[in-house]
Amino acid sequence: GESVGLHLPTLSVQEGDNSIINCAYSNSASDYFIWYKQESGKGPQFIIDIRSNMDKRQGQRVTVLLNKTVKHLSLQIAATQPGDSAVYFCAETPRAGKSTFGDGTTLTVKP
Amino acid sequence: EAQVTQNPRYLITVTGKKLTVTCSQNMNHEYMSWYRQDPGLGLRQIYYSMNVEVTDKGDVPEGYKVSRKEKRNFPLILESPSPNQTSLYFCASSLGSMSPLHFGNGTRLTVT
């Protein structure tokens, strides 16, 4: 069967390495997904989004992958930098107006 | 500068004393929403508004009220705060419910 990454509450990577953060979502009716980054003392900030009619979307240094079969979302960060250290959340929109956030993953980048 | 502004940033109050946390956005967004963030529970939606005079319950609405009389403002009202409402609160807005949210910097509320 297909391997799906586990959600980890914390992730530590070396500067320059690639990071992969995983998220399992709950509602098969969700058709819009977003990744947010939250730095200490601040509100979450938008990173990248994807709609259910896509399975991959790329931004600058970030890629989101969506696997609807197993209800899994991942965020890949290329060449991770110290400024990427933060808590990362995925969010799904099960219906208009509602938004549900996943458990966050704390990413620590070691210099 | 496009932003969501919440006030106050910090608030300490006592059980039962009514309070209002204000939220204002300057991006002409139709959609606004309130969340609370608690350790181990993540971000949970309290109330949201799809447009002026249209509000609806999120996942944890008990003990809260909201109003949306104008497009830019979406205050969160706690009529009779209790200690279990001690939390970090975020207001957010977006063009629509299927658009990325812009968050304020949060209001840390302590109810004793």
Side-chain angles (χ1 to χ4, degrees), chain A residues 31-32 34 36 38 41-46 49 51 89 93 95-104, chain B residues 9 31 33 35 37 40 42-43 45 48 50 56-59 88 90 97-101 103-105:
Chain A
D31 57 8
Y32 180 58
I34 312 175
Y36 292 95
Q38 186 177 21
K42 296 183 179 179
Q45 293 174 273
F46 167 74
D49 59 0
R51 298 192 185 272
F89 294 97
T93 302
R95 62 176 174 84
K98 291 293 298 289
S99 53
T100 304
F101 284 75
D103 299 330
Chain B
R9 286 296 306 275
Y31 179 86
S33 187
Y35 302 85
Q37 187 173 35
L43 279 152
Q45 192 175 32
Y48 63 94
M50 301 283 275
D56 210 343
K57 295 177 181 178
D59 294 319
L88 179 58
F90 287 102
S97 66
M98 300 292 193
S99 299
L101 290 164
F103 283 84
N105 280 328

mmCIF file of all heavy atoms in Angstrom, chain A residues 31-32 34 36 38 41-46 49 51 89 93 95-104, chain B residues 9 31 33 35 37 40 42-43 45 48 50 56-59 88 90 97-101 103-105:
data_model
loop_
_atom_site.group_PDB
_atom_site.id
_atom_site.type_symbol
_atom_site.label_atom_id
_atom_site.label_comp_id
_atom_site.label_asym_id
_atom_site.label_seq_id
_atom_site.Cartn_x
_atom_site.Cartn_y
_atom_site.Cartn_z
ATOM 1 N N ASP A 31 -12.823 20.904 0.449
ATOM 2 C CA ASP A 31 -12.304 21.124 -0.895
ATOM 3 C C ASP A 31 -11.312 22.273 -0.983
ATOM 4 O O ASP A 31 -10.931 22.687 -2.075
ATOM 5 C CB ASP A 31 -13.450 21.305 -1.901
ATOM 6 C CG ASP A 31 -14.376 22.430 -1.515
ATOM 7 O OD1 ASP A 31 -14.056 23.169 -0.564
ATOM 8 O OD2 ASP A 31 -15.423 22.579 -2.161
ATOM 9 N N TYR A 32 -10.891 22.774 0.177
ATOM 10 C CA TYR A 32 -9.900 23.844 0.172
ATOM 11 C C TYR A 32 -9.011 23.650 1.381
ATOM 12 O O TYR A 32 -9.513 23.447 2.502
ATOM 13 C CB TYR A 32 -10.607 25.198 0.209
ATOM 14 C CG TYR A 32 -9.697 26.401 0.199
ATOM 15 C CD1 TYR A 32 -8.788 26.612 -0.830
ATOM 16 C CD2 TYR A 32 -9.750 27.339 1.223
ATOM 17 C CE1 TYR A 32 -7.959 27.714 -0.847
ATOM 18 C CE2 TYR A 32 -8.928 28.445 1.222
ATOM 19 C CZ TYR A 32 -8.027 28.626 0.183
ATOM 20 O OH TYR A 32 -7.205 29.719 0.166
ATOM 21 N N ILE A 34 -5.212 24.860 3.419
ATOM 22 C CA ILE A 34 -4.211 25.928 3.544
ATOM 23 C C ILE A 34 -3.157 25.514 4.561
ATOM 24 O O ILE A 34 -3.472 24.860 5.561
ATOM 25 C CB ILE A 34 -4.858 27.246 4.036
ATOM 26 C CG1 ILE A 34 -6.125 27.583 3.254
ATOM 27 C CG2 ILE A 34 -3.867 28.402 3.964
ATOM 28 C CD1 ILE A 34 -6.850 28.809 3.777
ATOM 29 N N TYR A 36 -0.440 27.300 7.192
ATOM 30 C CA TYR A 36 -0.088 28.532 7.871
ATOM 31 C C TYR A 36 1.183 28.328 8.686
ATOM 32 O O TYR A 36 1.448 27.233 9.178
ATOM 33 C CB TYR A 36 -1.203 28.982 8.828
ATOM 34 C CG TYR A 36 -2.471 29.424 8.152
ATOM 35 C CD1 TYR A 36 -3.530 28.528 7.974
ATOM 36 C CD2 TYR A 36 -2.634 30.732 7.702
ATOM 37 C CE1 TYR A 36 -4.709 28.929 7.368
ATOM 38 C CE2 TYR A 36 -3.816 31.133 7.087
ATOM 39 C CZ TYR A 36 -4.842 30.227 6.930
ATOM 40 O OH TYR A 36 -6.007 30.631 6.317
ATOM 41 N N GLN A 38 3.146 29.988 12.083
ATOM 42 C CA GLN A 38 2.948 30.865 13.230
ATOM 43 C C GLN A 38 4.244 31.026 14.000
ATOM 44 O O GLN A 38 4.776 30.052 14.548
ATOM 45 C CB GLN A 38 1.849 30.325 14.155
ATOM 46 C CG GLN A 38 1.510 31.288 15.280
ATOM 47 C CD GLN A 38 0.370 30.805 16.154
ATOM 48 O OE1 GLN A 38 0.061 29.617 16.207
ATOM 49 N NE2 GLN A 38 -0.304 31.730 16.827
ATOM 50 N N GLY A 41 4.419 34.739 19.372
ATOM 51 C CA GLY A 41 3.848 36.050 19.657
ATOM 52 C C GLY A 41 3.068 36.663 18.510
ATOM 53 O O GLY A 41 2.648 37.825 18.591
ATOM 54 N N LYS A 42 2.873 35.900 17.439
ATOM 55 C CA LYS A 42 2.166 36.440 16.278
ATOM 56 C C LYS A 42 1.000 35.554 15.871
ATOM 57 O O LYS A 42 0.900 34.396 16.302
ATOM 58 C CB LYS A 42 3.127 36.578 15.100
ATOM 59 C CG LYS A 42 4.252 37.563 15.313
ATOM 60 C CD LYS A 42 5.091 37.683 14.056
ATOM 61 C CE LYS A 42 6.209 38.690 14.228
ATOM 62 N NZ LYS A 42 7.041 38.801 13.008
ATOM 63 N N GLY A 43 0.149 36.086 15.034
ATOM 64 C CA GLY A 43 -0.916 35.278 14.456
ATOM 65 C C GLY A 43 -0.397 34.436 13.309
ATOM 66 O O GLY A 43 0.667 34.722 12.749
ATOM 67 N N PRO A 44 -1.121 33.393 12.950
ATOM 68 C CA PRO A 44 -0.713 32.564 11.803
ATOM 69 C C PRO A 44 -0.631 33.391 10.516
ATOM 70 O O PRO A 44 -1.403 34.329 10.318
ATOM 71 C CB PRO A 44 -1.831 31.519 11.716
ATOM 72 C CG PRO A 44 -2.420 31.460 13.087
ATOM 73 C CD PRO A 44 -2.325 32.863 13.611
ATOM 74 N N GLN A 45 0.319 33.000 9.665
ATOM 75 C CA GLN A 45 0.484 33.664 8.363
ATOM 76 C C GLN A 45 0.303 32.639 7.258
ATOM 77 O O GLN A 45 0.818 31.522 7.358
ATOM 78 C CB GLN A 45 1.894 34.224 8.219
ATOM 79 C CG GLN A 45 2.270 35.351 9.116
ATOM 80 C CD GLN A 45 3.756 35.657 8.913
ATOM 81 O OE1 GLN A 45 4.618 35.048 9.552
ATOM 82 N NE2 GLN A 45 4.053 36.560 8.027
ATOM 83 N N PHE A 46 -0.369 33.043 6.215
ATOM 84 C CA PHE A 46 -0.599 32.187 5.054
ATOM 85 C C PHE A 46 0.713 31.816 4.366
ATOM 86 O O PHE A 46 1.580 32.667 4.166
ATOM 87 C CB PHE A 46 -1.516 32.918 4.074
ATOM 88 C CG PHE A 46 -1.593 32.307 2.709
ATOM 89 C CD1 PHE A 46 -2.310 31.136 2.510
ATOM 90 C CD2 PHE A 46 -0.968 32.891 1.627
ATOM 91 C CE1 PHE A 46 -2.396 30.574 1.258
ATOM 92 C CE2 PHE A 46 -1.041 32.341 0.363
ATOM 93 C CZ PHE A 46 -1.766 31.179 0.177
ATOM 94 N N ASP A 49 -1.815 27.480 -0.467
ATOM 95 C CA ASP A 49 -3.102 26.791 -0.433
ATOM 96 C C ASP A 49 -3.235 25.863 -1.636
ATOM 97 O O ASP A 49 -2.461 25.925 -2.588
ATOM 98 C CB ASP A 49 -4.269 27.780 -0.358
ATOM 99 C CG ASP A 49 -4.299 28.758 -1.538
ATOM 100 O OD1 ASP A 49 -3.424 28.689 -2.418
ATOM 101 O OD2 ASP A 49 -5.207 29.619 -1.561
ATOM 102 N N ARG A 51 -6.574 23.540 -3.786
ATOM 103 C CA ARG A 51 -7.962 23.115 -3.891
ATOM 104 C C ARG A 51 -8.014 21.628 -4.197
ATOM 105 O O ARG A 51 -7.033 21.053 -4.682
ATOM 106 C CB ARG A 51 -8.685 23.941 -4.948
ATOM 107 C CG ARG A 51 -8.713 25.408 -4.579
ATOM 108 C CD ARG A 51 -9.640 26.259 -5.407
ATOM 109 N NE ARG A 51 -9.474 27.658 -5.033
ATOM 110 C CZ ARG A 51 -10.155 28.250 -4.056
ATOM 111 N NH1 ARG A 51 -11.062 27.574 -3.378
ATOM 112 N NH2 ARG A 51 -9.941 29.518 -3.760
ATOM 113 N N PHE A 89 0.679 24.915 10.718
ATOM 114 C CA PHE A 89 -0.656 24.325 10.826
ATOM 115 C C PHE A 89 -1.231 24.115 9.440
ATOM 116 O O PHE A 89 -1.093 24.978 8.577
ATOM 117 C CB PHE A 89 -1.622 25.275 11.541
ATOM 118 C CG PHE A 89 -1.313 25.540 12.970
ATOM 119 C CD1 PHE A 89 -0.607 26.672 13.343
ATOM 120 C CD2 PHE A 89 -1.747 24.676 13.962
ATOM 121 C CE1 PHE A 89 -0.329 26.943 14.666
ATOM 122 C CE2 PHE A 89 -1.483 24.935 15.292
ATOM 123 C CZ PHE A 89 -0.767 26.065 15.646
ATOM 124 N N THR A 93 -11.353 23.353 4.868
ATOM 125 C CA THR A 93 -12.648 24.022 4.841
ATOM 126 C C THR A 93 -13.691 22.983 4.461
ATOM 127 O O THR A 93 -13.884 22.700 3.277
ATOM 128 C CB THR A 93 -12.643 25.186 3.825
ATOM 129 O OG1 THR A 93 -11.604 26.097 4.187
ATOM 130 C CG2 THR A 93 -13.969 25.920 3.833
ATOM 131 N N ARG A 95 -16.951 23.118 4.755
ATOM 132 C CA ARG A 95 -18.061 23.757 4.062
ATOM 133 C C ARG A 95 -17.866 25.264 4.172
ATOM 134 O O ARG A 95 -17.072 25.723 4.990
ATOM 135 C CB ARG A 95 -19.407 23.336 4.643
ATOM 136 C CG ARG A 95 -19.652 23.687 6.088
ATOM 137 C CD ARG A 95 -21.073 23.302 6.491
ATOM 138 N NE ARG A 95 -21.320 23.490 7.901
ATOM 139 C CZ ARG A 95 -21.669 24.646 8.451
ATOM 140 N NH1 ARG A 95 -21.791 25.716 7.705
ATOM 141 N NH2 ARG A 95 -21.896 24.724 9.762
ATOM 142 N N ALA A 96 -18.595 26.005 3.382
ATOM 143 C CA ALA A 96 -18.403 27.454 3.333
ATOM 144 C C ALA A 96 -18.496 28.056 4.730
ATOM 145 O O ALA A 96 -19.471 27.836 5.448
ATOM 146 C CB ALA A 96 -19.439 28.082 2.425
ATOM 147 N N GLY A 97 -17.475 28.780 5.118
ATOM 148 C CA GLY A 97 -17.474 29.455 6.403
ATOM 149 C C GLY A 97 -16.739 28.709 7.497
ATOM 150 O O GLY A 97 -16.096 29.309 8.352
ATOM 151 N N LYS A 98 -16.806 27.398 7.504
ATOM 152 C CA LYS A 98 -16.159 26.631 8.564
ATOM 153 C C LYS A 98 -14.701 26.380 8.225
ATOM 154 O O LYS A 98 -14.362 26.148 7.067
ATOM 155 C CB LYS A 98 -16.840 25.263 8.738
ATOM 156 C CG LYS A 98 -18.230 25.324 9.296
ATOM 157 C CD LYS A 98 -18.283 25.809 10.727
ATOM 158 C CE LYS A 98 -17.562 24.938 11.712
ATOM 159 N NZ LYS A 98 -18.249 23.662 11.950
ATOM 160 N N SER A 99 -13.849 26.454 9.226
ATOM 161 C CA SER A 99 -12.453 26.087 9.020
ATOM 162 C C SER A 99 -11.992 25.281 10.222
ATOM 163 O O SER A 99 -12.303 25.617 11.356
ATOM 164 C CB SER A 99 -11.574 27.318 8.815
ATOM 165 O OG SER A 99 -11.734 28.249 9.857
ATOM 166 N N THR A 100 -11.262 24.222 9.951
ATOM 167 C CA THR A 100 -10.761 23.332 10.990
ATOM 168 C C THR A 100 -9.257 23.234 10.845
ATOM 169 O O THR A 100 -8.755 22.937 9.757
ATOM 170 C CB THR A 100 -11.395 21.934 10.844
ATOM 171 O OG1 THR A 100 -12.809 22.057 10.873
ATOM 172 C CG2 THR A 100 -10.939 21.025 11.975
ATOM 173 N N PHE A 101 -8.567 23.493 11.962
ATOM 174 C CA PHE A 101 -7.114 23.472 11.941
ATOM 175 C C PHE A 101 -6.599 22.147 12.493
ATOM 176 O O PHE A 101 -7.156 21.590 13.439
ATOM 177 C CB PHE A 101 -6.558 24.616 12.783
ATOM 178 C CG PHE A 101 -6.666 25.954 12.115
ATOM 179 C CD1 PHE A 101 -7.888 26.606 12.027
ATOM 180 C CD2 PHE A 101 -5.549 26.551 11.551
ATOM 181 C CE1 PHE A 101 -7.993 27.826 11.392
ATOM 182 C CE2 PHE A 101 -5.649 27.776 10.907
ATOM 183 C CZ PHE A 101 -6.874 28.408 10.831
ATOM 184 N N GLY A 102 -5.513 21.674 11.918
ATOM 185 C CA GLY A 102 -4.862 20.471 12.414
ATOM 186 C C GLY A 102 -3.968 20.792 13.601
ATOM 187 O O GLY A 102 -3.760 21.946 13.949
ATOM 188 N N ASP A 103 -3.448 19.729 14.209
ATOM 189 C CA ASP A 103 -2.454 19.899 15.259
ATOM 190 C C ASP A 103 -1.198 20.482 14.629
ATOM 191 O O ASP A 103 -0.807 20.079 13.552
ATOM 192 C CB ASP A 103 -2.121 18.558 15.890
ATOM 193 C CG ASP A 103 -3.338 17.917 16.535
ATOM 194 O OD1 ASP A 103 -4.222 18.661 16.992
ATOM 195 O OD2 ASP A 103 -3.382 16.674 16.560
ATOM 196 N N GLY A 104 -0.594 21.409 15.247
ATOM 197 C CA GLY A 104 0.582 22.054 14.674
ATOM 198 C C GLY A 104 1.828 21.197 14.776
ATOM 199 O O GLY A 104 1.910 20.251 15.567
ATOM 200 N N ARG B 9 -4.359 43.772 23.353
ATOM 201 C CA ARG B 9 -3.448 42.643 23.168
ATOM 202 C C ARG B 9 -3.448 41.733 24.387
ATOM 203 O O ARG B 9 -3.301 40.528 24.281
ATOM 204 C CB ARG B 9 -2.017 43.132 22.918
ATOM 205 C CG ARG B 9 -1.758 43.706 21.555
ATOM 206 C CD ARG B 9 -1.925 42.679 20.428
ATOM 207 N NE ARG B 9 -1.144 41.463 20.598
ATOM 208 C CZ ARG B 9 0.126 41.314 20.231
ATOM 209 N NH1 ARG B 9 0.790 42.324 19.700
ATOM 210 N NH2 ARG B 9 0.754 40.153 20.405
ATOM 211 N N TYR B 31 -15.457 38.160 4.648
ATOM 212 C CA TYR B 31 -15.466 37.079 5.638
ATOM 213 C C TYR B 31 -14.603 37.441 6.828
ATOM 214 O O TYR B 31 -13.466 37.911 6.677
ATOM 215 C CB TYR B 31 -14.938 35.802 4.983
ATOM 216 C CG TYR B 31 -14.873 34.600 5.889
ATOM 217 C CD1 TYR B 31 -15.977 33.773 6.076
ATOM 218 C CD2 TYR B 31 -13.699 34.276 6.572
ATOM 219 C CE1 TYR B 31 -15.915 32.668 6.911
ATOM 220 C CE2 TYR B 31 -13.635 33.178 7.409
ATOM 221 C CZ TYR B 31 -14.747 32.380 7.574
ATOM 222 O OH TYR B 31 -14.688 31.279 8.404
ATOM 223 N N SER B 33 -13.722 35.974 11.119
ATOM 224 C CA SER B 33 -13.877 34.800 11.985
ATOM 225 C C SER B 33 -13.069 34.988 13.257
ATOM 226 O O SER B 33 -12.054 35.693 13.263
ATOM 227 C CB SER B 33 -13.398 33.551 11.228
ATOM 228 O OG SER B 33 -13.670 32.377 11.963
ATOM 229 N N TYR B 35 -11.170 32.850 16.548
ATOM 230 C CA TYR B 35 -10.616 31.574 16.982
ATOM 231 C C TYR B 35 -10.046 31.723 18.378
ATOM 232 O O TYR B 35 -9.630 32.799 18.775
ATOM 233 C CB TYR B 35 -9.486 31.115 16.046
ATOM 234 C CG TYR B 35 -9.910 30.981 14.615
ATOM 235 C CD1 TYR B 35 -9.904 32.084 13.768
ATOM 236 C CD2 TYR B 35 -10.335 29.762 14.109
ATOM 237 C CE1 TYR B 35 -10.314 31.978 12.458
ATOM 238 C CE2 TYR B 35 -10.745 29.646 12.783
ATOM 239 C CZ TYR B 35 -10.735 30.765 11.982
ATOM 240 O OH TYR B 35 -11.155 30.654 10.678
ATOM 241 N N GLN B 37 -7.018 29.776 20.783
ATOM 242 C CA GLN B 37 -5.892 28.857 20.680
ATOM 243 C C GLN B 37 -5.470 28.444 22.078
ATOM 244 O O GLN B 37 -5.112 29.294 22.896
ATOM 245 C CB GLN B 37 -4.716 29.504 19.943
ATOM 246 C CG GLN B 37 -3.566 28.549 19.659
ATOM 247 C CD GLN B 37 -2.500 29.179 18.772
ATOM 248 O OE1 GLN B 37 -2.214 30.367 18.858
ATOM 249 N NE2 GLN B 37 -1.910 28.366 17.897
ATOM 250 N N GLY B 40 -2.321 22.207 23.259
ATOM 251 C CA GLY B 40 -2.821 20.855 23.083
ATOM 252 C C GLY B 40 -4.134 20.745 22.327
ATOM 253 O O GLY B 40 -4.543 19.647 21.943
ATOM 254 N N GLY B 42 -4.983 23.315 19.842
ATOM 255 C CA GLY B 42 -4.843 24.005 18.572
ATOM 256 C C GLY B 42 -5.787 25.185 18.442
ATOM 257 O O GLY B 42 -6.280 25.739 19.429
ATOM 258 N N LEU B 43 -6.055 25.579 17.211
ATOM 259 C CA LEU B 43 -6.953 26.692 16.908
ATOM 260 C C LEU B 43 -8.362 26.152 16.694
ATOM 261 O O LEU B 43 -8.568 25.257 15.876
ATOM 262 C CB LEU B 43 -6.493 27.392 15.628
ATOM 263 C CG LEU B 43 -5.356 28.376 15.763
ATOM 264 C CD1 LEU B 43 -4.562 28.472 14.480
ATOM 265 C CD2 LEU B 43 -5.898 29.755 16.142
ATOM 266 N N GLN B 45 -12.478 27.305 15.996
ATOM 267 C CA GLN B 45 -13.311 28.392 15.505
ATOM 268 C C GLN B 45 -14.472 28.654 16.463
ATOM 269 O O GLN B 45 -15.197 27.735 16.848
ATOM 270 C CB GLN B 45 -13.825 28.047 14.109
ATOM 271 C CG GLN B 45 -14.465 29.200 13.379
ATOM 272 C CD GLN B 45 -14.843 28.831 11.957
ATOM 273 O OE1 GLN B 45 -15.182 27.682 11.670
ATOM 274 N NE2 GLN B 45 -14.783 29.794 11.059
ATOM 275 N N TYR B 48 -18.132 32.883 13.007
ATOM 276 C CA TYR B 48 -17.680 33.476 11.769
ATOM 277 C C TYR B 48 -18.812 34.290 11.144
ATOM 278 O O TYR B 48 -19.979 34.143 11.524
ATOM 279 C CB TYR B 48 -17.155 32.419 10.795
ATOM 280 C CG TYR B 48 -18.161 31.400 10.324
ATOM 281 C CD1 TYR B 48 -18.875 31.578 9.143
ATOM 282 C CD2 TYR B 48 -18.371 30.227 11.057
ATOM 283 C CE1 TYR B 48 -19.778 30.618 8.702
ATOM 284 C CE2 TYR B 48 -19.275 29.269 10.626
ATOM 285 C CZ TYR B 48 -19.966 29.461 9.454
ATOM 286 O OH TYR B 48 -20.862 28.518 9.024
ATOM 287 N N MET B 50 -20.041 35.634 7.231
ATOM 288 C CA MET B 50 -19.833 35.607 5.778
ATOM 289 C C MET B 50 -20.015 36.992 5.174
ATOM 290 O O MET B 50 -19.509 37.268 4.075
ATOM 291 C CB MET B 50 -20.796 34.623 5.117
ATOM 292 C CG MET B 50 -20.661 33.193 5.636
ATOM 293 S SD MET B 50 -19.236 32.347 4.950
ATOM 294 C CE MET B 50 -19.925 31.756 3.406
ATOM 295 N N ASP B 56 -22.504 33.091 12.126
ATOM 296 C CA ASP B 56 -22.844 31.684 12.374
ATOM 297 C C ASP B 56 -21.845 31.088 13.359
ATOM 298 O O ASP B 56 -20.725 31.579 13.520
ATOM 299 C CB ASP B 56 -22.822 30.893 11.072
ATOM 300 C CG ASP B 56 -23.802 29.738 11.092
ATOM 301 O OD1 ASP B 56 -24.270 29.346 12.194
ATOM 302 O OD2 ASP B 56 -24.110 29.195 10.019
ATOM 303 N N LYS B 57 -22.288 30.028 14.018
ATOM 304 C CA LYS B 57 -21.475 29.392 15.039
ATOM 305 C C LYS B 57 -20.363 28.554 14.425
ATOM 306 O O LYS B 57 -20.557 27.883 13.407
ATOM 307 C CB LYS B 57 -22.352 28.487 15.914
ATOM 308 C CG LYS B 57 -23.393 29.238 16.711
ATOM 309 C CD LYS B 57 -24.272 28.270 17.499
ATOM 310 C CE LYS B 57 -25.328 29.019 18.275
ATOM 311 N NZ LYS B 57 -26.224 28.106 19.017
ATOM 312 N N GLY B 58 -19.218 28.595 15.111
ATOM 313 C CA GLY B 58 -18.148 27.694 14.765
ATOM 314 C C GLY B 58 -18.231 26.447 15.634
ATOM 315 O O GLY B 58 -19.331 25.990 15.966
ATOM 316 N N ASP B 59 -17.087 25.946 16.043
ATOM 317 C CA ASP B 59 -17.059 24.701 16.816
ATOM 318 C C ASP B 59 -17.215 24.906 18.320
ATOM 319 O O ASP B 59 -17.643 23.995 19.025
ATOM 320 C CB ASP B 59 -15.740 23.965 16.546
ATOM 321 C CG ASP B 59 -15.642 23.504 15.108
ATOM 322 O OD1 ASP B 59 -16.659 23.029 14.573
ATOM 323 O OD2 ASP B 59 -14.551 23.637 14.506
ATOM 324 N N LEU B 88 -5.853 32.396 24.237
ATOM 325 C CA LEU B 88 -5.324 33.330 23.253
ATOM 326 C C LEU B 88 -6.326 33.381 22.100
ATOM 327 O O LEU B 88 -6.644 32.344 21.511
ATOM 328 C CB LEU B 88 -3.954 32.855 22.766
ATOM 329 C CG LEU B 88 -3.243 33.689 21.701
ATOM 330 C CD1 LEU B 88 -3.028 35.116 22.172
ATOM 331 C CD2 LEU B 88 -1.911 33.044 21.351
ATOM 332 N N PHE B 90 -7.748 34.910 18.415
ATOM 333 C CA PHE B 90 -7.358 35.492 17.140
ATOM 334 C C PHE B 90 -8.590 35.826 16.313
ATOM 335 O O PHE B 90 -9.513 35.014 16.186
ATOM 336 C CB PHE B 90 -6.480 34.528 16.332
ATOM 337 C CG PHE B 90 -5.098 34.378 16.869
ATOM 338 C CD1 PHE B 90 -4.752 33.264 17.613
ATOM 339 C CD2 PHE B 90 -4.134 35.347 16.624
ATOM 340 C CE1 PHE B 90 -3.465 33.118 18.114
ATOM 341 C CE2 PHE B 90 -2.848 35.206 17.128
ATOM 342 C CZ PHE B 90 -2.521 34.093 17.871
ATOM 343 N N SER B 97 -14.784 32.683 2.215
ATOM 344 C CA SER B 97 -14.440 31.549 3.081
ATOM 345 C C SER B 97 -13.496 30.576 2.391
ATOM 346 O O SER B 97 -12.905 29.725 3.047
ATOM 347 C CB SER B 97 -15.707 30.827 3.529
ATOM 348 O OG SER B 97 -16.346 30.229 2.431
ATOM 349 N N MET B 98 -13.322 30.684 1.085
ATOM 350 C CA MET B 98 -12.384 29.827 0.354
ATOM 351 C C MET B 98 -11.164 30.628 -0.079
ATOM 352 O O MET B 98 -10.636 30.464 -1.183
ATOM 353 C CB MET B 98 -13.069 29.226 -0.880
ATOM 354 C CG MET B 98 -14.264 28.376 -0.558
ATOM 355 S SD MET B 98 -13.817 26.867 0.280
ATOM 356 C CE MET B 98 -15.345 25.954 0.155
ATOM 357 N N SER B 99 -10.713 31.504 0.797
ATOM 358 C CA SER B 99 -9.524 32.322 0.551
ATOM 359 C C SER B 99 -8.661 32.294 1.795
ATOM 360 O O SER B 99 -9.162 32.027 2.897
ATOM 361 C CB SER B 99 -9.916 33.776 0.258
ATOM 362 O OG SER B 99 -10.725 33.861 -0.883
ATOM 363 N N PRO B 100 -7.368 32.567 1.652
ATOM 364 C CA PRO B 100 -6.490 32.537 2.824
ATOM 365 C C PRO B 100 -6.912 33.577 3.868
ATOM 366 O O PRO B 100 -7.324 34.688 3.535
ATOM 367 C CB PRO B 100 -5.120 32.910 2.245
ATOM 368 C CG PRO B 100 -5.224 32.647 0.794
ATOM 369 C CD PRO B 100 -6.644 32.875 0.412
ATOM 370 N N LEU B 101 -6.782 33.203 5.120
ATOM 371 C CA LEU B 101 -7.105 34.092 6.218
ATOM 372 C C LEU B 101 -5.930 35.018 6.536
ATOM 373 O O LEU B 101 -4.771 34.603 6.502
ATOM 374 C CB LEU B 101 -7.453 33.283 7.464
ATOM 375 C CG LEU B 101 -8.770 32.508 7.427
ATOM 376 C CD1 LEU B 101 -8.787 31.470 8.527
ATOM 377 C CD2 LEU B 101 -9.942 33.465 7.565
ATOM 378 N N PHE B 103 -4.661 37.044 9.752
ATOM 379 C CA PHE B 103 -4.883 37.027 11.193
ATOM 380 C C PHE B 103 -4.384 38.295 11.860
ATOM 381 O O PHE B 103 -3.387 38.896 11.429
ATOM 382 C CB PHE B 103 -4.149 35.840 11.822
ATOM 383 C CG PHE B 103 -4.833 34.519 11.627
ATOM 384 C CD1 PHE B 103 -4.637 33.787 10.464
ATOM 385 C CD2 PHE B 103 -5.658 34.006 12.612
ATOM 386 C CE1 PHE B 103 -5.264 32.565 10.282
ATOM 387 C CE2 PHE B 103 -6.288 32.778 12.440
ATOM 388 C CZ PHE B 103 -6.095 32.055 11.268
ATOM 389 N N GLY B 104 -5.063 38.667 12.952
ATOM 390 C CA GLY B 104 -4.523 39.685 13.839
ATOM 391 C C GLY B 104 -3.424 39.090 14.698
ATOM 392 O O GLY B 104 -3.120 37.893 14.608
ATOM 393 N N ASN B 105 -2.848 39.901 15.568
ATOM 394 C CA ASN B 105 -1.745 39.449 16.401
ATOM 395 C C ASN B 105 -2.177 38.806 17.712
ATOM 396 O O ASN B 105 -1.341 38.410 18.508
ATOM 397 C CB ASN B 105 -0.783 40.603 16.684
ATOM 398 C CG ASN B 105 0.159 40.838 15.515
ATOM 399 O OD1 ASN B 105 0.526 39.918 14.804
ATOM 400 N ND2 ASN B 105 0.530 42.087 15.310
#
